[in-house]
Amino acid sequence: SITKDHWLQCIVYHYLETNGDVSINQAKSFFSTAKALAKWIDARYGTNHAPTVRSIIQEVEEEIYDAIRLLDLYVPYAARKYHDWLQEIGRVAIENALEDRQVSGLFQITAVSAATMRCQHAESGKQYTISITPFVRSYAKAGMIIRGNIAETTSNGRWRLIHVSRVFPKEAGQYI
């Protein structure tokens, strides 16, 4: 049977993982569809999923929108929708060119300040200080998870994001 955890996993992880060209409008449509589906399942099978789905969406909706907005700052919607293959070629070229001066994988944001964010690399556990813009600061939240690449900058020991393929709200951490 479907549990609250299944719905949460679908909404905060699978939806963002499988939709590289996600947008705010698309997410709003997905939320409406998920609510309608749960309501239909309840009517058809006598279950009680609709309140659970509504509650989950209410809790995570803004965080998902911020994850999408953060992704948009690094890879605009049109590039993800129409030129995703080009992004992959660019990522591989960057990895090869920078070799040991870059790190790839999952990075969980642990803190956000005016000009930096601290991220923990999921694989190594190492913390990195990443330079950010005010736009990034407005959407980056502690707990968010970024899949991408960072590169060492030449000054002050900071790093910078050079490729971002996905951004997840903190609730997705248990499913990645």
Side-chain angles (χ1 to χ4, degrees):
S1 98
I2 299 173
T3 66
K4 180 178 181 176
D5 190 61
H6 291 123
W7 286 110
L8 182 63
Q9 183 176 7
C10 175
I11 292 166
V12 300
Y13 173 69
H14 288 295
Y15 171 66
L16 295 169
E17 177 66 26
T18 59
N19 287 288
D21 64 344
V22 67
S23 69
I24 299 293
N25 286 335
Q26 186 189 77
K28 289 177 181 180
S29 294
F30 170 71
F31 294 148
S32 294
T33 301
K35 290 177 199 176
L37 174 63
K39 189 175 178 180
W40 178 84
I41 291 170
D42 289 350
R44 173 101 171 156
Y45 299 104
T47 58
N48 195 28
H49 293 288
T52 300
V53 172
R54 275 194 314 273
S55 173
I56 290 168
I57 291 171
Q58 187 174 15
E59 288 174 28
V60 301
E61 187 173 17
E62 287 305 317
E63 288 186 48
I64 289 175
Y65 294 155
D66 281 345
I68 295 166
R69 289 177 183 117
L70 185 56
L71 179 61
D72 277 341
L73 291 175
Y74 289 99
V75 190
Y77 171 77
R80 288 181 282 127
K81 179 154 182 74
Y82 302 110
H83 305 290
D84 193 46
W85 58 273
L86 191 56
Q87 298 296 318
E88 184 61 17
I89 291 170
R91 183 192 63 76
V92 171
I94 287 168
E95 281 185 357
N96 290 336
L98 296 176
E99 295 180 18
D100 61 340
R101 296 184 326 271
Q102 67 87 38
V103 179
S104 63
L106 294 168
F107 300 89
Q108 185 163 33
I109 300 171
T110 57
V112 180
S113 68
T116 65
M117 65 182 176
R118 296 276 299 156
C119 292
Q120 182 175 5
H121 185 237
E123 188 175 311
S124 68
K126 186 173 178 184
Q127 290 273 342
Y128 294 93
T129 301
I130 299 171
S131 296
I132 60 172
T133 66
F135 288 119
V136 171
R137 184 185 60 222
S138 63
Y139 301 124
K141 307 286 186 281
M144 280 183 162
I145 300 161
I146 299 170
R147 179 179 295 130
N149 300 61
I150 61 172
E152 195 172 18
T153 61
T154 55
S155 62
N156 64 14
R158 291 186 186 166
W159 294 70
R160 63 185 169 91
L161 278 161
I162 55 172
H163 175 78
V164 175
S165 62
R166 296 288 188 275
V167 179
F168 301 96
K170 66 178 178 245
E171 291 83 1
Q174 61 189 319
Y175 308 113
I176 296 176

